[in-house]
Amino acid sequence: MEIFEIVTYFILLGLLATAIRVVATSNVIHAAISLVFTLALTAVLFLILSAEFVALVLVLVYIGAVIVLFLFGIMITRAPLGKNAELDNDKNKKLGAAISGSIFFLFSYILINGFEGEVIINSGSSTELLGEILLSRFVFPFELVSFVLLAALIGGITLARKDVALIDEDQV
């Protein structure tokens, strides 16, 4: 076993640990920070697979924008940070674990047997071609998504903001 494979397995173990931490923690801030580490390790895997552009987009868009927006939304809405007994559902944990485990093993089986143990990497990704497609054909959907995120941010601020002067005027 080469050192490269050993490093890859350690990255995968870290990815699995941080992904489990995202869904297992009861604190939303800790879940968001674990999600940052999960996405960063996923970007490292894309770098190993010679998909530099996808790794860069993952870091810039998801870690740099979406997670920041997520944390900002948590902070402005004053969401409860600790455990909430109303949201805890112990009844279906075993069923959920069984379903997610079976899906994991099914996907693992398909991925392992799909390539029959071969590593198929012809060359690196064509970042130039991908950039031309994104900036010509998909520029409108990309900008549309940015406006939707901006509208969500403004809506979150509007819902979370409690202006005392407006409340007093409505009660009069």
Side-chain angles (χ1 to χ4, degrees):
M1 189 180 274
E2 295 179 23
I3 189 76
F4 185 70
E5 291 179 7
I6 295 171
V7 170
T8 304
Y9 285 125
F10 276 118
I11 291 171
L12 289 172
L13 283 174
L15 183 63
L16 183 64
T18 56
I20 289 172
R21 177 97 172 127
V22 169
V23 296
T25 186
S26 60
N27 190 331
V28 291
I29 301 296
H30 293 166
I33 292 170
S34 296
L35 186 59
V36 167
F37 286 117
T38 303
L39 292 171
L41 287 172
T42 305
V44 170
L45 284 178
F46 279 123
L47 285 175
I48 290 172
L49 293 171
S50 299
E52 298 87 8
F53 183 76
V54 178
L56 183 65
V57 167
L58 186 72
V59 169
L60 289 176
V61 174
Y62 286 101
I63 295 175
V66 174
I67 297 297
V68 170
L69 183 66
F70 180 69
L71 287 172
F72 187 67
I74 290 170
M75 296 301 176
I76 65 169
T77 58
R78 296 183 186 101
L81 299 178
K83 277 192 166 190
N84 192 348
E86 296 173 3
L87 299 177
D88 197 15
N89 186 0
D90 288 332
K91 292 184 272 185
N92 296 324
K93 282 187 179 180
K94 291 180 183 177
L95 178 64
I99 290 172
S100 62
S102 63
I103 290 172
F104 172 75
F105 286 117
L106 177 69
F107 283 177
S108 298
Y109 176 78
I110 290 170
L111 285 173
I112 290 170
N113 291 330
F115 296 107
E116 298 172 352
E118 274 185 56
V119 177
I120 304 171
I121 299 176
N122 295 332
S123 64
S125 62
S126 175
T127 309
E128 181 181 357
L129 178 64
L130 188 58
E132 285 178 11
I133 291 171
L134 283 177
L135 293 177
S136 61
R137 184 172 171 193
F138 294 109
V139 73
F140 180 72
F142 184 75
E143 292 299 324
L144 186 66
V145 167
S146 67
F147 280 114
V148 169
L149 286 173
L150 178 64
L153 177 65
I154 292 171
I157 291 171
T158 304
L159 290 175
R161 183 178 166 192
K162 294 182 179 174
D163 197 358
V164 179
L166 292 176
I167 293 173
D168 291 339
E169 289 177 9
D170 289 339
Q171 292 177 352
V172 173

